[in-house]
Amino acid sequence: MTVISASWTDRPVEVGLVGAGPWARAMHARMLAAGPETRLAAVWARRPDAARQTAAPYGAHVAASFDDLLDRCEAVAFAVPPAVQAELAPSAARRGKALLLEKPLGPDLPAAQRVADAVLAAGVVSQLVLTKRYHPVTDAFLDAARSREVSGARSCYLHGAFLGGDFATGWRLEHGALLDLGPHLLDLLDTAVSPITAIRGSGDPRRWIELTCEHENGAVSQASLSGSVAVDRALTRVELFGREAPLTYDTAEIDHEECWPILRRSFATAVRTNQPTELDAARGLYLQRLMDQAIRTTL
């Protein structure tokens, strides 16, 4: 992952933001406007009033249409439900725009495939907003994991956001924790243990789903996912077991504000060098295939 160790000397990447909901306001707009690597050039949403409220603090243009947004930027960030992202991202790719994509790529595997295919065909840079992957604590954990022989792992990502509030949105309540939280945990297990070769699930993604993953190195891992449990704060934890003492990754004490400058620098560097990071649309499609397999095998 990109480490910020020098000042940014290139011109900022002009980014258009699609979406004006709570996540667009709380993270995307604020991060992109902070610079110096990026500039929030325009905002477009299907609710013009929300787009104006999102753009106003940063003096960004309020686009009259999606095409108007594309005319005013060189990269597009998406902060919309997966179905909307899957509908619009291919058009942006065909216009030659770099893409900052939310997870999951789409609401299902065919939609995600269309996004990844469009990115590949257009040859544009893409990057996934897998937030925790842009934190130094995550990098340190994954670096330590690479030197280990892992026999098994257990993990969880639990919160109560689906019980009410800004993030109890329609697509999350419909699809549940697997599509929303699954990409984060599956990416960590796949990277820390070894590539996942088979996956099966049990439970209800709208309440609690348990995943069992088989890995290329012979290890087996477990992942517990829920967005509908009352916890004091979100729990994201991975434990690796083997011949050595357990290696634990826990986000309880990390400051997520540290992620945004690294994410922004990583994306801008990828755009300016035309070299995407490992967390690109192809990675998003890989994770979506795992989730699709889990859905098909859930008891």
Side-chain angles (χ1 to χ4, degrees), residues 3 6 36 104 112 153-154 176 183 186 192-193 199 241 277 290:
V3 177
R154 62 188 182 190
L186 290 174
V193 180
I199 185 171
F241 298 91
T277 70
L290 293 176

Side-chain angles (χ1 to χ4, degrees), residues 2-295:
T2 300
V3 177
I4 300 176
S5 58
S7 60
W8 183 258
T9 58
D10 213 327
R11 61 186 176 86
V13 177
E14 302 283 326
V15 185
L17 174 60
V18 176
W23 188 236
R25 296 191 302 271
M27 193 284 282
H28 280 272
R30 181 166 62 92
M31 176 189 71
L32 295 169
E37 302 91 348
T38 59
R39 187 179 81 86
L40 183 62
V43 177
W44 177 77
R46 289 172 172 170
R47 295 180 295 123
D49 287 347
R52 282 192 287 272
Q53 292 172 10
T54 303
Y58 313 107
H61 172 75
V62 180
S65 65
F66 182 57
D67 283 337
D68 181 27
L69 179 97
L70 296 181
D71 289 339
R72 294 173 179 273
C73 65
E74 57 185 310
V76 181
F78 290 89
V80 290
V84 180
Q85 175 171 273
E87 173 193 348
L88 298 175
S91 297
R94 289 191 288 270
R95 286 279 300 270
K97 309 301 179 181
L99 304 179
L100 186 61
L101 298 161
E102 275 293 344
K103 51 73 205 164
L105 283 190
D108 51 37
L109 183 56
Q113 185 75 59
R114 288 192 291 273
V115 174
D117 287 349
V119 168
L120 181 63
V124 295
V125 163
S126 61
Q127 185 168 311
L128 287 174
V129 179
L130 285 173
T131 307
K132 295 170 180 59
R133 283 294 298 272
Y134 300 95
H135 197 283
V137 168
T138 309
D139 276 348
F141 166 71
L142 294 176
D143 284 344
R146 290 186 184 98
S147 64
R148 288 182 169 243
E149 181 181 335
V150 179
S151 301
R154 62 188 182 190
S155 64
C156 69
Y157 194 165
L158 310 172
H159 64 55
F162 299 175
L163 297 175
D166 286 343
F167 293 99
T169 54
W171 77 268
R172 289 184 173 94
L173 297 181
E174 177 185 357
H175 295 287
L178 180 59
L179 283 190
D180 187 34
L181 309 181
H184 294 286
L185 215 50
L186 290 174
D187 170 69
L188 287 171
L189 290 171
D190 186 86
T191 305
V193 180
S194 77
I196 297 170
T197 56
I199 185 171
R200 60 187 181 274
S202 60
D204 180 353
R206 291 176 293 275
R207 297 180 63 201
W208 184 293
I209 186 167
E210 199 77 21
L211 304 177
T212 300
C213 306
E214 298 176 18
H215 294 261
E216 193 175 78
N217 65 353
V220 176
S221 65
Q222 298 283 341
S224 304
L225 298 164
S226 180
S228 303
V229 290
V231 290
D232 291 336
R233 56 188 173 187
L235 303 175
T236 308
R237 186 178 175 89
V238 179
E239 297 172 283
L240 306 183
F241 298 91
R243 294 176 179 273
E244 302 174 70
L247 178 64
T248 300
Y249 168 77
D250 193 327
T251 65
E253 302 301 325
I254 75 170
D255 182 359
H256 285 77
E257 289 296 317
E258 295 180 42
C259 301
W260 313 138
I262 297 171
L263 193 163
R264 184 178 58 238
R265 175 66 66 95
S266 178
F267 182 59
T269 300
V271 174
R272 287 286 170 256
T273 61
N274 199 36
Q275 295 292 325
T277 70
E278 62 177 319
L279 301 178
D280 59 3
R283 180 65 173 175
L285 179 60
Y286 174 82
L287 296 173
Q288 192 106 27
R289 286 187 179 124
L290 293 176
M291 292 186 293
D292 182 71
Q293 184 178 351
I295 291 169

